[in-house]
Amino acid sequence: MANQGIDASSARKGSITHVIFDMDGLLLDTEKFYTEVQEIILARYNKTFDWSLKAKMMGMKAIEAARVFVEETGISDSLTAEDFLVEREEMLQKMFPTSDLMPGASRLIHHLHENGIPICVATGTHTRHFDLKTQRHTELFSLMHHIVRGDDPEVKQGKPSPDIFLAAANRFEGGPVDPQRILVFEDAPSGVLAAKNAGMSVVMVPDARLDSQYHQVADQVLNSLLDYSPVDWGLPPFENA
């Protein structure tokens, strides 16, 4: 996948003052756990899990993703969305505490924080899972101005609804921050749409297996956070750049 350039008119270069990060698959390498568990469950029904289904589920609230999963795979008669979540939960609880950071995540977060750029996390993950996933990375996540999770009362609808990003924009110091001044980092198609629906600019860092048709909505597409150049967005450059 080639790095997709920025359209200067849509990028609003130089106007970005605040940054919002998605978490799963963007800062933390957790998406693989969901895939693994879903493959295990589907194998019982002699079915396989494919990336077109994964693309639909990514970034959604758990129950919404679960409904998509059982309906699209044709197992809804055998397994309800609720039962699927209970079964999945047991396996995920053992996996989440082993979560690793994605390449470039620590460098970028520290860089923005050290340069006084306000940063936060907006994740569809609810608090219980958030705590498990981040337990090895509490220092890094403590650099965030705030964190909005999927079970936040202000988040009525999951991504691609803009609720979570608008809630995040409201909580910065002196907020609400104008969406046009916010840059969002996302890996999931639903998250990219949610950010655009909130009126924000988006850098997408998708999994290489995701169909490239999903790249078109983003303002910039990167292979990895290691490829991100803050100066593209009028932000202070990396010192070693």
Side-chain angles (χ1 to χ4, degrees):
M1 178 181 65
N3 283 13
Q4 187 176 301
I6 303 172
D7 171 0
S9 60
S10 65
R12 298 189 279 264
K13 180 176 175 178
S15 67
I16 299 299
T17 56
H18 294 66
V19 171
I20 300 177
F21 292 100
D22 171 50
M23 184 177 76
D24 290 287
L26 188 277
L27 297 179
L28 291 179
D29 189 11
T30 47
E31 284 295 343
K32 63 183 181 186
F33 299 140
Y34 293 100
T35 301
E36 195 177 323
V37 168
Q38 279 140 211
E39 284 172 345
I40 291 168
I41 292 172
L42 280 181
R44 290 206 307 260
Y45 303 96
N46 295 316
K47 292 179 184 286
T48 54
F49 186 57
D50 66 54
W51 262 84
S52 61
L53 176 55
K54 172 89 174 172
K56 288 180 188 172
M57 294 173 66
M58 285 169 78
M60 284 183 163
K61 283 190 170 187
I63 189 62
E64 293 165 0
R67 288 189 191 116
V68 169
F69 179 78
V70 296
E71 283 160 21
E72 298 258 338
T73 56
I75 63 169
S76 53
D77 291 343
S78 315
L79 188 70
T80 67
E82 289 74 14
D83 288 341
F84 161 70
L85 286 181
V86 169
E87 195 172 336
R88 188 178 80 162
E89 179 74 14
E90 208 172 300
M91 292 188 256
L92 289 175
Q93 293 235 352
K94 296 185 180 79
M95 296 175 174
F96 283 156
T98 69
S99 299
D100 290 319
L101 290 171
M102 294 293 278
S106 179
R107 178 181 77 146
L108 180 54
I109 289 169
H110 278 110
H111 172 74
L112 295 173
H113 181 260
E114 284 158 16
N115 282 277
I117 308 296
I119 51 177
C120 76
V121 165
T123 174
T125 291
H126 53 71
T127 302
R128 189 174 72 256
H129 280 179
F130 178 88
D131 293 343
L132 289 172
K133 290 171 181 177
T134 59
Q135 68 181 41
R136 289 173 57 216
H137 312 288
T138 50
E139 183 200 1
L140 190 67
F141 281 87
S142 73
L143 301 179
M144 298 295 169
H145 182 271
H146 56 279
I147 289 161
V148 184
R149 303 169 185 84
D151 52 353
D152 190 288
E154 246 188 272
V155 183
K156 305 282 188 250
Q157 291 180 285
K159 302 169 185 178
S161 159
D163 292 16
I164 196 162
F165 289 124
L166 294 174
N170 287 341
R171 295 182 198 177
F172 281 113
E173 203 168 320
V177 175
D178 178 353
Q180 295 199 11
R181 305 192 75 80
I182 296 175
L183 180 61
V184 174
F185 284 85
E186 262 287 355
D187 68 307
S190 62
V192 171
L193 281 173
K196 296 307 282 185
N197 287 337
M200 300 171 185
S201 296
V202 195
V203 173
M204 186 183 199
V205 191
D207 188 289
R209 291 164 292 186
L210 186 71
D211 191 308
S212 61
Q213 67 169 333
Y214 292 108
H215 298 175
Q216 292 159 11
V217 182
D219 296 290
Q220 185 179 30
V221 181
L222 303 175
N223 293 318
S224 157
L225 286 174
L226 290 169
D227 298 330
Y228 176 68
S229 173
V231 290
D232 284 350
W233 293 90
L235 296 170
F238 289 121
E239 279 173 22
N240 60 354

